[in-house]
Amino acid sequence: MKVFFSLLLVFCISSLSMSSTLVNDNQDGQKFNVVSYGAKGDGNTDDSNAFLKAWRDVCGTTKGNPTLIIPKDKKFMLQPMKFQGPCKSETINIEIMGTIIAPKNRESWKLDDNDSESWISFSHVNGLVISGEGIIDGQGSSWWNKVGEADRPTALRIIGCENIKLSGLKHINSPRNHLSITSCTDALIFNLHMTAPEDSPNTDGIDISSSTDIVIQQSIISTGDDCVAINSGSRFINISDVLCGPGHGISVGSLGKGGSYATVEDVYVRNITFTGTTNGARIKTWAGGSGYAKKIIYEDIKLFGVKNPVIIDQQYNPYLGESEAVKVSDVIFRNIEGTSNDEEAIELNCDRIGCTNIVLENIKITGLDGKKISASCKYVQGSCSSCTPNVPCLG
């Protein structure tokens, strides 16, 4: 148990060390307004070239900490964009006050066949600060009826960056994930509002992969898939004060797809409200994968009509059999209460390799309209105290 107290202390110190408001380190830095570079902001003209010209000056300046300004009361249509670093200043500010929109349908997108994973991407830009009161609109509805997800682009992708801050924006209707954080270190993400229809496929709010020291706070995420998904290679992830729903909950995984080796550790999820979600606190790994998911805490969770409030699925794809699995260990579900709209409120479905040191404390889940609920488990080692419903294999 000492490891969890250590983990909690690390996260508290990490959160306190980060500013809760975004203040430019140097207010005297140059400001670069995209309108000055020819952007029309009429919602129809392709403003991509103007944005790229402005970015080259922002990224290349050595005078203070520059700011790229996307002004309010305008709507800028952009084709897929790559904002690449490294840049010369320690901090690069992106102030989005207006609306950025994608092409209106997928036939209008000018996608690079070699890189169609994202609409807007920032890569290798350290000290990146994206803030404002604007909107990022992926106009994803024409993508959602396509079979499969491989060719659907993520709306905003941050790749290989350090010391990142994102706040204040509204992200809507992405073709796929609204925000992906990949191979990044030290990020503070807060006060975001992400929305997409409940039936829009694969429209995760925030996806994290191969990243360390990521803090997500004080946000509202209502989409058609995971509010937050924590994928392989991620460590020291702190998520708190998030309203999630509709959607698929906050998930560790899925991990180990296609027999791959995957790892996630040191995850702390606290003070979350799930409303009408498919899942609440979830860990999911593919049968046939390998690696581990460990040192994970979900606590202080409120549930309102959640189908699967607490779920570990170590056999996410049962068709691959039970030959190998990602190890799941050192997990705490604590102070979780509210209502489930499904009979099985707690499901701990582990493989023969087992889930070890799984601790449930102070669980109070009831059925909607007095419906009887239950819990199920197999191949689980751990404990359950003050649990309603009772988890049979944990006593």
Side-chain angles (χ1 to χ4, degrees):
M1 192 63 67
K2 289 182 179 179
V3 66
F4 291 110
F5 288 118
S6 299
L7 172 63
L8 181 58
L9 181 60
V10 167
F11 280 135
C12 289
I13 293 172
S14 176
S15 296
L16 289 171
S17 67
M18 290 184 168
S19 171
S20 62
T21 58
L22 296 182
V23 178
N24 294 348
D25 293 335
N26 183 353
Q27 296 290 348
D28 296 327
Q30 289 181 285
K31 299 183 184 298
F32 300 82
N33 192 318
V34 295
V35 173
S36 300
Y37 289 82
K40 300 298 183 184
D42 59 14
N44 295 308
T45 303
D46 182 358
D47 288 322
S48 303
N49 286 335
F51 271 64
L52 286 176
K53 289 177 182 177
W55 173 254
R56 282 194 286 268
D57 285 351
V58 169
C59 190
T61 186
T62 58
K63 298 179 181 179
N65 296 315
T67 301
L68 177 67
I69 297 175
I70 295 91
K72 64 180 181 179
D73 300 326
K74 289 184 178 293
K75 187 179 289 187
F76 301 92
M77 193 277 285
L78 300 181
Q79 288 289 342
M81 302 282 293
K82 297 178 183 177
F83 298 102
Q84 294 181 317
C87 297
K88 294 185 177 180
S89 297
E90 291 185 1
T91 301
I92 302 293
N93 299 291
I94 313 294
E95 183 181 288
I96 303 175
M97 301 303 292
T99 298
I100 298 174
I101 62 170
K104 63 182 178 180
N105 55 59
R106 66 176 185 263
E107 290 77 18
S108 303
W109 284 58
K110 299 176 182 178
L111 288 170
D112 182 347
D113 291 337
N114 296 320
D115 183 12
S116 59
E117 291 186 351
S118 57
W119 169 35
I120 298 171
S121 67
F122 290 86
S123 61
H124 306 289
V125 183
N126 295 338
L128 177 66
V129 177
I130 303 177
S131 63
E133 300 173 357
I135 298 171
I136 297 177
D137 182 356
Q139 299 212 103
S141 60
S142 65
W143 293 86
W144 297 335
N145 61 2
K146 295 194 73 175
V147 177
E149 61 178 275
D151 60 349
R152 294 193 199 118
T154 291
L156 176 61
R157 186 182 297 272
I158 312 294
I159 309 164
C161 300
E162 297 181 5
N163 189 22
I164 314 155
K165 296 179 182 178
L166 293 86
S167 77
L169 299 175
K170 185 174 184 179
H171 300 247
I172 63 175
N173 298 332
S174 175
R176 194 177 176 185
N177 307 335
H178 286 74
L179 171 63
S180 289
I181 305 293
T182 305
S183 302
C184 293
T185 302
D186 190 11
L188 173 60
I189 301 166
F190 72 97
N191 193 26
L192 298 185
H193 190 176
M194 298 179 163
T195 60
E198 184 175 3
D199 60 354
S200 57
N202 309 114
T203 54
D204 297 37
I206 303 173
D207 269 30
I208 305 167
S209 60
S210 301
S211 296
T212 303
D213 294 319
I214 310 298
V215 176
I216 300 171
Q217 299 174 336
Q218 301 169 359
S219 294
I220 300 172
I221 305 176
S222 307
T223 65
D225 210 301
D226 293 328
C227 292
V228 182
I230 303 163
N231 297 300
S232 182
S234 298
R235 300 174 62 244
F236 294 107
I237 310 300
N238 184 350
I239 304 168
S240 64
D241 303 301
V242 170
L243 302 179
C244 171
H248 294 180
I250 294 181
S251 300
V252 173
S254 58
L255 305 175
K257 185 176 181 179
S260 63
Y261 179 82
T263 65
V264 168
E265 59 184 309
D266 296 302
V267 174
Y268 184 39
V269 181
R270 179 181 62 83
N271 197 24
I272 310 297
T273 299
F274 295 109
T275 302
T277 52
T278 305
N279 308 287
R282 175 165 66 159
I283 300 171
K284 54 177 178 174
T285 71
W286 289 73
S290 61
Y292 57 82
K294 64 183 181 181
K295 293 186 283 187
I296 299 164
I297 300 174
Y298 286 92
E299 71 174 355
D300 300 333
I301 307 296
K302 302 293 185 185
L303 310 164
F304 295 92
V306 176
K307 185 176 180 181
N308 302 301
V310 176
I311 179 169
I312 297 177
D313 190 354
Q314 207 178 24
Q315 297 176 306
Y316 186 56
N317 184 350
Y319 302 108
L320 293 178
E322 299 180 343
S323 59
E324 196 171 9
V326 177
K327 295 179 180 178
V328 177
S329 65
D330 304 317
V331 179
I332 293 177
F333 299 101
R334 180 193 291 124
N335 300 338
I336 298 176
E337 64 176 302
T339 57
S340 171
N341 66 3
D342 192 70
E343 180 181 344
E344 197 166 73
I346 299 174
E347 182 179 355
L348 307 178
N349 180 30
C350 295
D351 199 282
R352 293 184 188 277
I353 193 173
C355 299
T356 58
N357 196 22
I358 310 301
V359 177
L360 283 76
E361 298 177 352
N362 194 26
I363 310 297
K364 298 178 181 178
I365 304 174
T366 58
L368 282 176
D369 302 321
K371 183 185 296 183
K372 184 178 179 180
I373 61 170
S374 62
S376 68
C377 57
K378 66 176 183 178
Y379 302 127
V380 181
Q381 178 272 318
S383 64
C384 184
S385 60
S386 298
C387 292
T388 302
N390 183 57
V391 183
C393 69
L394 297 181

